Amino acid sequence: MPSYHEVRLYLNGLWLLIRGDAQGFRLLDISDRGMMRSFWAFVWCLPAAAISWLWWRAYLLEGMPAGARVGGLFFVRMAMLEVFNWLVPLILAGILCALLGIGRKFSAVVVSVNWLSVPFAYLYGLLSLRFLLPSSLDALLALIHFALLIAMVVSVSRVMRMICGPQPLMVTGLVLVLIVPGMLLTEALQRFLGIYPF
């Protein structure tokens, strides 16, 4: 598992790429080994994800009869949802890279997206923690949630541009397959897994 120091280097590299500095690639391990190790980002995201799951659990209980309970199976299903939302976009990105003839860039895409998930997971985790607390600022929190989504789209777009070069259609295609499927499928999967509030 990559150490805290390594993860900091990766995040610094991503920040340089977002700013348009190609030196960021020197701080990322985009080899095949680095691509496989980048899936440890999922473990790094788990504490923040757990906070989001607790918020979703509270939201789910609000729509249930008084005294209803949500057991440990709920968290297993949330983990399944996370894994699905993590892997499907990467699989689609791999297919798109193959179709576009840029398969050699796939490892850089995977490494970048995986490690970029870490800071956003914690930002969303903090937001979920705020949602758990009594608040009259729901509209403001929803606006912050939307701003985080925009920031994620912009960050992924800028990193993909550094990977692919000035290829707007290629960059747009990768951004779409990396972000949209998770957004579209989340509700359907929540209903299928029985973790959607009614």
Side-chain angles (χ1 to χ4, degrees), residues 9-131:
L9 283 178
Y10 298 152
L11 297 183
N12 287 337
L14 287 170
W15 177 240
L16 289 175
L17 294 179
I18 290 170
R19 293 171 55 191
D21 187 346
Q23 293 298 315
F25 286 117
R26 298 178 61 185
L27 301 179
L28 293 171
D29 183 358
I30 57 175
S31 65
D32 289 342
R33 177 178 178 274
M35 179 178 70
M36 298 308 297
R37 292 186 80 228
S38 73
F39 284 96
W40 281 105
F42 184 83
V43 177
W44 276 92
C45 290
L46 278 178
I51 297 173
S52 299
W53 299 350
L54 289 172
W55 166 67
W56 192 253
R57 178 179 178 274
Y59 185 52
L60 190 66
L61 286 170
E62 284 181 8
M64 292 182 166
R69 295 185 177 182
V70 177
L73 188 58
F74 165 81
F75 295 101
V76 174
R77 291 173 176 172
M78 288 298 291
M80 290 170 60
L81 178 65
E82 291 284 346
V83 169
F84 187 88
N85 281 341
W86 194 294
L87 293 180
V88 168
L90 293 178
I91 292 170
L92 294 176
I95 294 170
L96 183 60
C97 285
L99 291 174
L100 295 175
I102 56 169
R104 66 189 183 283
K105 298 181 183 291
F106 180 60
S107 62
V109 171
V110 173
V111 169
S112 300
V113 171
N114 281 349
W115 290 119
L116 195 58
S117 299
V118 175
F120 281 101
Y122 281 90
L123 289 172
Y124 278 113
L126 288 173
L127 189 59
S128 296
L129 183 61
R130 190 63 189 87
F131 273 122

Side-chain angles (χ1 to χ4, degrees), residues 175-194:
V175 172
L176 287 176
V177 300
L178 288 168
I179 293 177
V180 173
M183 296 171 61
L184 293 178
L185 295 175
T186 294
E187 182 177 332
L189 286 170
Q190 286 171 342
R191 291 182 184 275
F192 177 75
L193 294 170

Side-chain angles (χ1 to χ4, degrees), residues 144-180:
I144 293 172
H145 188 278
F146 180 71
L148 281 178
L149 175 61
I150 296 300
M152 182 172 63
V153 172
V154 170
S155 299
V156 172
S157 299
R158 293 181 70 87
V159 171
M160 291 305 110
R161 188 179 186 281
M162 292 300 295
I163 292 172
C164 300
Q167 301 285 343
L169 292 178
M170 190 180 295
V171 170
T172 301
L174 282 171
V175 172
L176 287 176
V177 300
L178 288 168
I179 293 177
V180 173

